[in-house]
Amino acid sequence: MITKDIDYFDLEQIAESGQCFRWKKLDEHKYRIPAFGSYLDIAQTGSHFELSCTEDEFEEIWYNYFDLGTDYKGIVQRIDSRDRFLISAAEYGKGIRILNQDTWETIISFIISQNNNIPRIKKGIEAVCSNYMRQSVALKDTGIYMIPYLEDIEKNGGRESLSGLGLGYRDEYIWGMCSYQNQSPGFIEELHNLDYEASMKYLMSFKGIGKKVANCICLFGLHHLDACPVDVWMKKVIDEEYGGVMPAWMTDQYAGVYQQYTFFYKREKK
């Protein structure tokens, strides 16, 4: 167990921000978080955090996962002083950070997310993980499983098994993506070597990945902070807060951070 004091970091805001679906709430302001074949129990009291890991594990996994090297205070201070809505949204949701999530998990999660609500997204992801039971040494006997690859699916029922998980038409897209990864195991590394525009083009070449899902993968799985996913809530922001005109911050180098502030604020204040 270690402790840290961190500003601009709120577990509940991140958990409710729509970027991650596998955090498990253990208690008020306490979560169990699986990531990169490991997991963390983390509890928050104000800006004080207790983490169930060693200092080495924190530096190796969790410092980067929580994006603690990025100056979110500075990102907030860049906001145009005339944009009262974004200023209010940033003040309300300033504990949100863009997680550095596992890219493969993010791809499969956001394929499942399309035309779906958050409870069903979480249920679908959990079904995929628990049905194929991929684990690491660090997760042994925890009951926590990782996003599967093609080999895991083929060992546990094959293509037909996906159809029984309640994923609807999305099972076809998951199977296709798993098949591609199996044939081209280096494609994740290729993605990480591309800029935002090239990543979008690459991702949208896959069946089942449209512009919104590709933007989510770019922001939450590749950490392109200039990616700005636009869903029904963001369309409400544009229409109701900016008179139907896309605000300048949506093409800013930190557009994805501002998107998270406004997405969270608009949903909470609905």
Side-chain angles (χ1 to χ4, degrees), residues 101 113 240 266:
Q101 300 184 71
S113 79
E240 297 174 8
K266 191 67 173 177

Side-chain angles (χ1 to χ4, degrees), residues 53-209:
C53 64
T54 66
E55 194 67 46
D56 286 346
E57 289 168 337
F58 175 75
E59 292 295 333
E60 182 180 345
I61 301 174
W62 305 108
Y63 180 87
N64 185 61
Y65 176 80
F66 292 124
D67 201 28
L68 299 181
T70 296
D71 179 14
Y72 281 80
K73 180 179 180 180
I75 292 173
V76 171
Q77 290 176 338
R78 294 180 74 258
I79 296 173
D80 187 333
S81 61
R82 297 166 296 179
D83 193 330
R84 304 313 303 172
F85 176 75
L86 183 55
I87 288 173
S88 296
E91 177 59 31
Y92 187 80
K94 65 183 179 182
I96 297 173
R97 289 174 174 263
I98 307 298
L99 303 174
N100 279 290
Q101 300 184 71
D102 177 79
T103 305
W104 178 244
E105 178 172 324
T106 307
I107 289 171
I108 300 302
S109 295
F110 280 94
I111 286 176
I112 292 171
S113 79
Q114 57 186 289
N115 299 315
N116 222 342
N117 58 50
I118 289 179
R120 288 184 61 191
I121 296 167
K122 290 181 177 181
K123 184 178 179 180
I125 294 170
E126 183 59 30
V128 168
C129 291
S130 60
N131 197 64
Y132 303 112
M133 300 178 291
R134 183 181 185 88
Q135 277 190 324
S136 66
V137 173
L139 294 175
K140 186 174 174 58
D141 302 323
T142 62
I144 300 172
Y145 300 102
M146 299 156 63
I147 294 289
Y149 290 93
L150 185 71
E151 62 192 44
D152 306 301
I153 299 173
E154 289 183 329
K155 289 177 183 176
N156 293 275
R159 168 69 181 88
E160 290 185 3
S161 65
L162 278 170
S163 299
L165 300 181
L167 301 170
Y169 61 86
R170 303 167 192 85
D171 60 4
E172 176 188 352
Y173 305 151
I174 293 171
W175 177 257
M177 185 57 66
C178 287
S179 298
Y180 181 82
Q181 188 281 330
N182 187 64
Q183 296 166 4
S184 306
F187 96 99
I188 296 292
E189 185 177 345
E190 290 177 33
L191 270 173
H192 279 274
N193 290 327
L194 300 177
D195 62 17
Y196 167 51
E197 289 187 7
S199 297
M200 286 289 291
K201 184 177 180 180
Y202 191 173
L203 288 166
M204 290 175 66
S205 70
F206 295 104
K207 186 176 182 180
I209 297 183

Side-chain angles (χ1 to χ4, degrees), residues 189-238:
E189 185 177 345
E190 290 177 33
L191 270 173
H192 279 274
N193 290 327
L194 300 177
D195 62 17
Y196 167 51
E197 289 187 7
S199 297
M200 286 289 291
K201 184 177 180 180
Y202 191 173
L203 288 166
M204 290 175 66
S205 70
F206 295 104
K207 186 176 182 180
I209 297 183
K211 186 175 181 179
K212 186 252 184 178
V213 169
N215 264 307
C216 287
I217 296 168
C218 281
L219 181 57
F220 305 131
L222 297 170
H223 213 64
H224 290 303
L225 297 184
D226 48 345
C228 186
V230 176
D231 65 355
V232 293
W233 287 102
M234 296 311 296
K235 289 175 182 175
K236 282 178 179 286
V237 167
I238 294 170

Side-chain angles (χ1 to χ4, degrees), residues 51 95 167 229 242:
L51 304 90
L167 301 170
Y242 295 98

